[in-house]
Amino acid sequence: MLSKNKIKSFRSLEMKKNRDANDVFVAEGPKVVHDILSIHKELLSAIAATEEWFAQENKLTDDLTCEKITVSADELTKVSLLCHPQQVFAVFRKFKQITSDELPSLADKLTLVLDGVQDPGNLGTIIRIADWFGIEDIICSKETVDAYNPKVVQATMGSIARVRVSYMELEQLFDALPPTLPVYGTLLEGNNMYSEQLSHNGIIIMGNEGKGISPKIRQFITNGLRIPNYPEGRDTADSLNVAVATAIICADFRRR
């Protein structure tokens, strides 16, 4: 049974200040919880699920030492942060972020940098895109939406378990990287990306949905890229959704 205090405690995690205070986040639904639990079982803090879900995931959950609560579908609706609850509600401790000592290692691979992305759905989709294209790290500016926002976690469809998302002042990142490392940025005045030489390593910066990459971060870009419309020169949409643009750019980097 879920006590009133437990319901209140679980529901409070919808707010960032409460997640931060407890250093935890919420994951819901069979797919998301299964993927995180499969990789980070040691981070599970509490779990409430239907009897059917526990039966289906008995190999993953039989040896859990954290708080396990069997609930009915009706009880789950009292704690769920979703419009349509999905069998399981789990609380995990947050993943570790990249340390300053590890920043130089990013020079050997492809890394996404997000400068002020605000929409939870966009961030969740970008994390999922990074997972698909084998990008292990996403570095976010402090102005970027919280990766542990429940809407972000849901939109990742479990990919948040495989992609490390870290937050910092982006100037700190660029100060730690070799000055010769390619830094790509999406700019309206950038070069046609399909005619550019793209490296196997480097930084790809994606900007805010409305304002793009901020002036203070533009100065670090060494290679401005533009996704051309087709055919070029005709009237078309002003821009692409940032998650869609990220997918197109990542696909072209991996194609090369």
Side-chain angles (χ1 to χ4, degrees):
M1 290 289 292
L2 283 169
S3 67
K4 289 183 179 180
N5 284 340
K6 182 58 64 177
I7 292 171
K8 183 178 180 181
S9 174
F10 283 164
R11 291 286 305 182
S12 73
L13 298 178
E14 186 172 16
M15 299 180 66
K16 184 178 185 299
K17 67 176 184 179
N18 295 326
R19 295 194 299 271
D20 290 348
N22 293 281
D23 199 34
V24 298
F25 70 98
V26 170
E28 294 193 62
K31 167 65 175 167
V32 178
V33 173
H34 175 88
D35 282 11
I36 300 175
L37 201 55
S38 297
I39 302 171
H40 302 287
K41 183 186 287 190
E42 76 284 357
L43 297 181
L44 185 64
S45 176
I47 189 165
T50 62
E51 187 174 349
E52 292 76 14
W53 187 86
F54 277 125
Q56 291 168 2
E57 295 287 4
N58 65 307
K59 291 182 179 179
L60 270 178
T61 60
D62 273 357
D63 60 348
L64 291 178
T65 57
C66 69
E67 185 176 18
K68 292 170 58 177
I69 308 170
T70 302
V71 296
S72 66
D74 287 342
E75 285 180 307
L76 196 61
T77 62
K78 296 178 181 178
V79 296
S80 177
L81 307 180
L82 303 177
C83 293
H84 304 288
Q86 300 175 30
Q87 294 185 300
V88 56
F89 178 102
V91 179
F92 289 91
R93 293 187 295 279
K94 291 181 180 179
F95 309 125
K96 291 183 179 179
Q97 297 194 42
I98 194 168
T99 65
S100 56
D101 291 341
E102 293 175 294
L103 290 178
S105 68
L106 297 180
D108 299 325
K109 53 188 178 181
L110 203 59
T111 301
L112 277 173
V113 168
L114 304 183
D115 181 24
V117 171
Q118 292 292 295
D119 183 80
N122 282 338
L123 177 55
T125 302
I126 289 171
I127 293 171
R128 193 174 176 184
I129 290 164
D131 186 21
W132 183 262
F133 287 107
I135 295 174
E136 299 172 338
D137 278 283
I138 296 176
I139 309 296
C140 299
S141 68
K142 296 289 185 68
E143 295 77 26
T144 296
V145 64
D146 180 22
Y148 296 110
N149 179 308
K151 292 180 180 178
V152 175
V153 176
Q154 200 65 26
T156 71
M157 290 302 291
S159 289
I160 196 169
R162 292 178 290 270
V163 178
R164 180 169 54 176
V165 183
S166 304
Y167 288 78
M168 65 182 65
E169 296 295 343
L170 296 184
E171 292 89 342
Q172 176 190 349
L173 166 66
F174 294 112
D175 287 346
L177 296 174
T180 55
L181 184 71
V183 178
Y184 300 91
T186 49
L187 302 172
L188 290 175
E189 66 273 19
N191 298 322
N192 184 327
M193 65 177 293
Y194 299 125
S195 61
E196 291 294 294
Q197 293 291 325
L198 304 179
S199 60
H200 73 280
N201 64 327
I203 301 294
I204 303 172
I205 307 175
M206 306 301 296
N208 173 269
E209 290 89 342
K211 301 176 181 178
I213 299 170
S214 62
K216 68 177 182 179
I217 302 304
R218 283 190 180 215
Q219 64 179 313
F220 297 104
I221 296 173
T222 61
N223 301 72
L225 299 179
R226 171 176 53 85
I227 301 172
N229 66 314
Y230 184 86
E232 286 201 77
R234 74 175 180 85
D235 289 339
T236 186
D238 291 338
S239 63
L240 288 171
N241 170 276
V242 65
V244 172
T246 301
I248 293 171
I249 288 173
C250 289
D252 206 48
F253 267 87
R254 291 314 194 200
R255 182 179 68 85
R256 309 293 178 96

